[in-house]
Amino acid sequence: MRKPLLFRFTVLTCTYIALSLIVFLCLYIMDARLRRVNKEIADCKNDKSSNIKIDLVDSSPFHLKGSFPGPQDTPYEGGHFEVDIVIPDSYPFQPVKMKFITKVYHPNISSASGAICLDILKDAWSPVLTLKSTLISLQSLLCSPEPNDPQDAEVAKHYTTSKRSFDETARYWTQIYAGGPVVKKMEVKELQRDEIAIAGLEKAHVDQFESLGFERSKVIDVLRRLNYRGANVANISEDRIVEELLK
């Protein structure tokens, strides 16, 4: 009878040691994560040249708000953009979760949810990346859209078919959502300061189909969905638009 008892004791002892090690490792990883995040926040505050800011949300070091100015010589210049940041349990071995709080008109950013399509937030993440360097990458993304790998397909179509119209709409969104500079008077007149401008459409096109008796909101929805913008207007017949409006 002694052998089974000794065996049970050995198994229980090994199990206890294993569980203790697991608990220790979990606590160590959590402590390491906290120390790293606190260091990154402090480093960012001490760096005055990057204009990248990171603040706590509800006093939690694992739920943060990042912000940065819109890059120069882009439609986002002059705007102030905020990003929601969630630190996962296994950070920095797992990428941070980021999405824009500020509404942005950009092919790689969802105009509805703020979700971001960027490789370093997915499979290209590396533990050497930091919160600041990731926010700088988001700032760079505003300079260099990737319409062939979009998060927002409609905005990407707008970008590829009419860059000038896209820039006007992105600049308008920067003004109304990111506190950007007021658009020049002529541009304001063209944009009409309403949902037509936000959709990146021409007022004349909306008026044309609205005059047929269709509701403005439905006209805007259909024209936006069909990407009735720029050079693409010539590829879509008026009959096709009316068919969609009648559905």
Side-chain angles (χ1 to χ4, degrees):
M1 293 293 292
R2 289 180 180 178
K3 254 187 174 181
L5 286 173
L6 181 61
F7 176 75
R8 288 179 185 177
F9 177 77
T10 303
V11 170
L12 288 172
T13 302
C14 291
T15 302
Y16 175 78
I17 293 173
L19 290 173
S20 298
L21 285 173
I22 291 172
V23 171
F24 173 78
L25 288 173
C26 288
L27 291 173
Y28 178 81
I29 291 171
M30 289 175 64
D31 182 60
R33 178 178 68 141
L34 179 60
R35 283 187 281 108
R36 166 150 175 172
V37 170
N38 284 335
K39 182 180 183 303
E40 289 190 32
I41 294 173
D43 289 345
C44 194
K45 286 184 177 179
N46 293 330
D47 180 8
K48 308 298 183 183
S49 60
S50 66
N51 291 320
I52 303 294
K53 294 183 179 180
I54 299 176
D55 298 299
L56 301 182
V57 175
D58 298 329
S59 302
S60 169
F62 305 125
H63 187 196
L64 308 168
K65 181 176 70 175
S67 63
F68 54 82
Q72 294 183 349
D73 301 321
T74 71
Y76 314 100
E77 182 176 3
H80 178 77
F81 297 89
E82 296 184 340
V83 178
D84 184 75
I85 305 170
V86 175
I87 310 295
D89 293 339
S90 55
Y91 181 80
F93 303 104
Q94 182 182 352
V96 293
K97 297 178 181 179
M98 292 188 176
K99 67 177 181 178
F100 274 90
I101 299 170
T102 308
K103 290 179 72 67
V104 188
Y105 196 76
H106 189 284
N108 307 111
I109 302 165
S110 169
S111 56
S113 67
I116 305 163
C117 181
L118 185 64
D119 56 358
I120 63 170
L121 294 177
K122 298 175 183 175
D123 52 355
W125 172 262
S126 167
V128 301
L129 293 170
T130 64
L131 298 175
K132 184 176 74 173
S133 65
T134 306
L135 287 169
I136 290 174
S137 295
L138 293 188
Q139 191 180 41
S140 298
L141 183 65
L142 297 186
C143 296
S144 306
E146 295 289 344
N148 294 326
D149 186 23
Q151 178 70 40
D152 195 311
E154 288 186 5
V155 177
K157 287 179 183 177
H158 191 186
Y159 181 90
T160 55
T161 56
S162 181
K163 181 64 165 56
R164 178 181 175 276
S165 175
F166 166 85
D167 285 347
E168 289 180 350
T169 303
R171 193 175 296 113
Y172 185 66
W173 277 47
T174 299
Q175 176 192 330
I176 61 176
Y177 296 122
V182 176
V183 183
K184 295 177 182 178
K185 289 183 179 179
M186 184 176 294
E187 292 173 339
V188 168
K189 186 177 180 181
E190 291 174 356
L191 291 172
Q192 294 296 311
R193 290 182 177 271
D194 60 13
E195 67 270 25
I196 297 175
I198 294 174
L201 301 170
E202 295 289 336
K203 184 176 183 300
H205 295 154
V206 175
D207 290 344
Q208 176 186 352
F209 294 99
E210 189 180 7
S211 67
L212 299 178
F214 296 105
E215 291 183 4
R216 170 175 287 211
S217 59
K218 187 166 186 178
V219 173
I220 291 173
D221 180 64
V222 168
L223 295 185
R224 181 176 55 195
R225 182 156 40 83
L226 294 177
N227 191 32
Y228 199 69
R229 307 176 175 107
N232 202 45
V233 169
N235 300 324
I236 304 172
S237 68
E238 294 180 4
D239 289 342
R240 167 78 189 286
I241 295 171
V242 172
E243 286 177 9
E244 292 294 323
L245 288 168
L246 290 171
K247 289 182 179 179

